Amino acid sequence: MVFHKEEIIRFRHCDPAGIVFYPRYLEILNDMVEDWFEAMGYPFDEMESCLGAGVPTINLNITFMHPCRQGETLSLTLRCLKIGDSSFEIKISGERMGQPILEAQIVLCFTTIGRQVNKLSIPDGIRKKMLEYNTEQTTATILIS
């Protein structure tokens, strides 16, 4: 299973050249992750208030293939590639009318939030939901130093 979302490119996303300014893609990707967690039944605000946890990005690799402009619709797809004890790797692909726009591989890690940040094991309920999006159907430990 994959998580899918449509993002309308707005004026706020674009630079003076009329194309998406690349840092705005980071915001779009972060919104995608937040929407995925909400769709799985674990909104960020509840994870924070109930579990004292967050999922910061610890590694990010993006390839940009083509520009995207204001008024266009960016079709985003999220797949879960690997699930470790506390971290997980996802792939988000973006396309516009079948043309690839970007591909991002992101590693995130469950941590405590606040002044003292420590790794946490992914809670069983969240892990079970993530496995539904694990396209490889594998789990692996991702080493984090």
Side-chain angles (χ1 to χ4, degrees), residues 6-74:
E6 302 286 317
E7 178 79 27
I8 297 170
I9 300 302
R10 302 184 185 280
F11 174 78
R12 68 181 168 92
H13 294 120
C14 298
D15 63 16
I19 60 175
V20 176
F21 182 43
Y22 76 92
R24 300 294 174 248
Y25 281 119
L26 300 179
E27 294 170 345
I28 290 169
L29 295 173
N30 191 69
D31 290 347
M32 180 73 166
V33 171
E34 189 170 347
D35 291 344
W36 177 50
F37 269 83
E38 188 163 337
M40 290 191 294
Y42 296 93
F44 276 11
D45 61 335
E46 288 182 20
M47 283 197 324
E48 180 181 339
S49 63
C50 297
L51 302 174
V55 287
T57 297
I58 59 171
N59 191 297
L60 172 65
N61 186 345
I62 304 174
T63 302
F64 300 103
M65 288 86 117
H66 293 95
C68 206
R69 300 182 182 283
Q70 183 179 344
E72 296 177 336
T73 300
L74 182 62

Side-chain angles (χ1 to χ4, degrees), residues 83-129:
I83 305 169
D85 175 59
S86 60
S87 61
F88 58 99
E89 183 177 357
I90 60 173
K91 176 180 175 182
I92 299 176
S93 302
E95 65 174 40
R96 179 194 63 238
M97 297 174 53
Q99 181 181 49
I101 300 298
L102 67 90
E103 188 170 284
Q105 285 199 222
I106 307 168
V107 178
L108 301 103
C109 184
F110 269 83
T111 66
T112 57
I113 54 175
R115 295 191 70 122
Q116 195 70 347
V117 177
N118 297 303
K119 291 189 301 182
L120 294 173
S121 292
I122 299 169
D124 290 338
I126 296 174
R127 178 182 299 281
K128 183 177 177 183
K129 286 289 191 179

